[in-house]
Amino acid sequence: MKQPHVVLLLCASLAVMTGCTQISIAEEERLRSTTTAVLITPTPSEVPTPTVAPTVGPTATPTLTPEPTKLPLPPTPAPDAALKGFSLCDQVAGDPAGGRFSARVTTITTTVEAKFERLELGLSVPDSSVLPHALAHCLSAADDAQQIGLPQGNEGYALLISLDGWLHDDLFRASTITPTLALSGTTAIASAGYRVADGDAGAQLALLLKQPLPFRVSLAQNPLRLVVEVAKQPAISDTSDMLTQASAGSAAQPAPIYYLESGDIWRFADGKATNLTSSAEVETALAVSESAKQIAFCRVESGASADDSLATSALWVMGLDGGDPEQLAAPGRTCADPAFSPDGKRVAFAATDSATTPLRWGVFTVPVAGGEPTRLGSPSDEWSRFAPQWLDADRLVYAAQAEDTRSTLFLGAKGAEQDIGAALTVGSTYASLGRPLASPTGAIAVEALRADGTGAALLTLDASGTKLSEIASGYWVRPAAWGADGSLYYLTSECASSLAQSYALFQQPAQGQPTQLAYGTTLGGFGQFVAKGGSLAYVAYSHAPAAARGPLAVADQGGSSLWLIDTTRGTRAKLVDASGPVAALAQ
């Protein structure tokens, strides 16, 4: 039964408070995306029963090898009609491109419904002004306690309603609102507060929540009011995140998995993790070659911190058991993104020549047997090159970015370089390209950031840069890994959210329709994926940075774990609970 409205008294002048962080134009563009993707798992085709021709005389009974039974996905919960439009997605009320507006708050009311609570700000807007607009997103105290208004170390969440265009004029000052709003009868909304930005415009309403709750923000008419509604029940539980839930049945025993944890290289094999580089030096990147039976890695000089972008680092190699480490590249350069050629004879890597900022990266190759590194491309043009990936024994694809934010992909081969990405960012569809991911068959997968600011699509390309396919479901699609058979694993994100990621993991075979392997919602995030045989290893973080979820997450705080999913049977198992962030993965 609905409780009656509770009208709050407006009792004090609007106080100017410090510490309010305004949302940038880039953030406004990012928050425009509220599209919900409907992810459909194709129904498997029925396997026909083979017909056996009759034979004369006795015959041996054929031995049939049973197909492995695939673990079915749990059913998707039916949506609650009373909570239509509620989510943890960042949301927009009104037109964020409308510019600055003038408004006076006339009333503040709360209503308690059966399944949600509502807070309404009655607004009076002069005819000469555009209508108000607001941007809403949720944060945890662990992300920004000061912005939320909680003491450091406190737990909780806040729904932040930013009204960046609200002019600090006479109508604004006439809005007699206390910095802390006293609420009556609400339980989902613990408290509410107002903050005023420095300068001549901007204010923020912060609703403090004890747990992450779905919300809905809108601008209602007749009378004009900003409506904020918060569900009483959370959308996330202990079983919401499939990729961090072990399933019945065991996952296939993987080949050895190599990963970076807390500045050391570790190997997981035969059910246990072994530290291969337990030393004072810090390792920051790695690659593995079964052909060469070696690990290539970047090592920061002794005494320096891995967080120091100007610290000197070099390229090293060692055996798969951690033995015989030796420096491969010349000192005096930084090192990143090592990658072995398919035959294991060369290593490509990114490096800088000096400590000048902004850093200008170049791509180099060096023989595993030793020798001077060879640069790909010019050291004096506007491009910073990084993230090399081998297409075959002779050709590399790598990302490039200019200081004016332009980005592209280059193809490097035998001293020559070709721009194969520029055509993709011409026009109004894509603004920039991400890091390439090369397949064993020579195809390229890359994120293409949309020009309208609403996330990224996933493109597959051939070596000339010609687009082979596009996957554009939901807010963000990123490549996860290529299988040896040319199948592509990719991760989708339903919407932009500063707090949670609603995701789905797919496997796209070289021919045919994609199969959904897992889905869920997490307050954490996902790092790298690697595929080997019928298994997919991946890194899960318990906490992800407070930014739009979807791109590759690299956690700088909180716990992380190493997981494995059997892509044939769908079973999942945790391999390692890491004591520090797992920053890179190889197999």
Side-chain angles (χ1 to χ4, degrees):
M1 179 176 178
K2 181 168 69 174
Q3 295 186 12
H5 285 68
V6 179
V7 180
L8 303 182
L9 298 178
L10 309 181
C11 58
S13 63
L14 189 65
V16 177
M17 301 181 66
T18 61
C20 179
T21 302
Q22 297 218 36
I23 293 180
S24 66
I25 294 175
E27 181 79 355
E28 290 190 17
E29 291 296 319
R30 179 177 65 77
L31 291 178
R32 294 187 187 190
S33 172
T34 56
T35 304
T36 299
V38 180
L39 302 174
I40 302 175
T41 304
T43 302
S45 301
E46 184 177 352
V47 179
T49 302
T51 302
V52 180
T55 58
V56 179
T59 58
T61 302
T63 301
L64 301 178
T65 302
E67 290 291 329
T69 301
K70 190 175 184 67
L71 191 70
L73 293 175
T76 304
D80 189 331
L83 299 176
K84 182 179 180 180
F86 283 72
S87 73
L88 293 172
C89 302
D90 299 341
Q91 298 176 31
V92 175
D95 180 8
R100 295 184 174 188
F101 59 88
S102 178
R104 179 173 68 89
V105 176
T106 58
T107 60
I108 303 176
T109 62
T110 57
T111 307
V112 178
E113 302 279 359
K115 295 186 177 181
F116 60 88
E117 297 172 356
R118 179 187 299 119
L119 186 146
E120 295 181 283
L121 270 69
L123 299 170
S124 175
V125 176
D127 294 338
S128 59
S129 173
V130 299
L131 289 177
H133 52 82
L135 308 173
H137 65 290
C138 198
L139 287 176
S140 72
D143 292 325
D144 194 341
Q146 183 177 5
Q147 183 181 358
I148 290 174
L150 294 173
Q152 291 290 340
N154 205 333
E155 296 182 355
Y157 299 84
L159 175 57
L160 304 180
I161 316 298
S162 298
L163 300 106
D164 290 349
W166 194 359
L167 286 167
H168 296 171
D169 56 10
D170 290 341
L171 290 180
F172 181 85
R173 288 184 285 272
S175 299
T176 52
I177 307 173
T178 58
T180 301
L181 305 179
L183 304 180
S184 176
T186 61
T187 56
I189 305 174
S191 63
Y194 242 93
R195 305 180 207 149
V196 178
D198 294 332
D200 59 357
Q204 186 180 74
L205 175 65
L207 306 185
L208 299 188
L209 314 174
K210 294 180 181 179
Q211 55 185 326
L213 298 171
F215 62 91
R216 180 173 63 187
V217 179
S218 60
L219 194 66
Q221 302 284 345
N222 301 320
L224 181 66
R225 60 204 186 277
L226 178 67
V227 182
V228 183
E229 295 164 313
V230 178
K232 293 182 178 180
Q233 296 298 322
I236 299 178
S237 67
D238 293 339
T239 59
S240 298
D241 183 3
M242 282 184 64
L243 286 179
T244 59
Q245 296 295 316
S247 59
S250 59
Q253 179 65 31
I257 299 172
Y258 299 85
Y259 59 97
L260 281 178
E261 178 193 337
S262 302
D264 284 324
I265 297 175
W266 292 69
R267 180 183 63 197
F268 181 86
D270 301 323
K272 65 178 182 179
T274 303
N275 190 333
L276 301 182
T277 58
S278 182
S279 65
E281 290 83 11
V282 175
E283 286 71 53
T284 59
L286 82 161
V288 175
S289 171
E290 293 180 350
S291 301
K293 293 182 170 48
Q294 285 191 310
I295 302 171
F297 58 97
C298 296
R299 170 172 281 177
V300 176
E301 63 183 0
S302 180
S305 168
D307 297 328
D308 183 0
S309 61
L310 301 181
T312 300
S313 59
L315 180 68
W316 288 64
V317 291
M318 67 181 181
L320 295 179
D321 61 355
D324 303 321
E326 61 176 335
Q327 185 173 293
L328 186 60
R333 293 173 172 152
T334 54
C335 170
D337 305 329
F340 277 101
S341 61
D343 58 12
K345 294 181 178 180
R346 300 183 69 82
V347 179
F349 64 103
T352 60
D353 293 309
S354 67
T356 58
T357 56
L359 294 177
R360 180 69 58 83
W361 292 89
V363 168
F364 298 79
T365 66
V366 62
V368 173
E372 283 298 313
T374 300
R375 179 191 285 269
L376 293 160
S378 171
S380 58
D381 60 19
E382 72 271 30
W383 297 105
S384 182
R385 298 163 173 83
F386 54 95
Q389 295 268 294
W390 293 88
L391 295 176
D392 51 40
D394 297 316
R395 298 181 301 169
L396 284 154
V397 61
Y398 42 94
Q401 187 167 3
E403 289 184 24
D404 60 6
T405 72
R406 286 177 299 135
S407 67
T408 190
L409 298 178
F410 283 128
L411 181 73
K414 298 180 179 180
E417 189 177 61
Q418 179 185 356
D419 188 335
I420 63 171
L424 296 170
T425 57
V426 174
S428 59
T429 304
Y430 305 121
S432 60
L433 302 175
R435 298 165 69 96
L437 185 65
S439 79
T441 59
I444 304 164
V446 65
E447 292 160 306
L449 278 66
R450 300 183 181 106
D452 63 1
T454 55
L458 170 59
L459 305 182
T460 60
L461 316 171
D462 65 16
S464 69
T466 300
K467 184 167 70 174
L468 302 175
S469 68
E470 178 184 36
I471 304 170
S473 302
Y475 169 66
W476 201 287
V477 191
R478 75 168 171 100
W482 285 100
D485 60 355
S487 60
L488 174 63
Y489 299 92
Y490 62 91
L491 195 70
T492 67
S493 288
E494 180 181 294
C495 64
S497 174
S498 305
L499 181 68
Q501 182 173 359
S502 293
Y503 66 83
L505 177 65
F506 288 88
Q507 180 183 15
Q508 171 66 64
Q511 301 292 331
Q513 297 299 311
T515 298
Q516 187 174 347
L517 300 177
Y519 68 88
T521 300
T522 177
L523 294 175
F526 299 104
Q528 288 184 313
F529 289 70
V530 294
K532 189 71 173 181
S535 65
L536 188 67
Y538 56 94
V539 178
Y541 297 119
S542 61
H543 183 80
R549 304 299 171 83
L552 175 68
V554 179
D556 56 2
Q557 58 181 325
S560 57
S561 51
L562 182 62
W563 287 78
L564 189 78
I565 182 170
D566 187 317
T567 59
T568 302
R569 294 179 294 209
T571 52
R572 302 172 302 279
K574 183 191 291 186
L575 304 181
V576 176
D577 254 328
S579 59
V582 174
L585 192 61
Q587 193 175 41

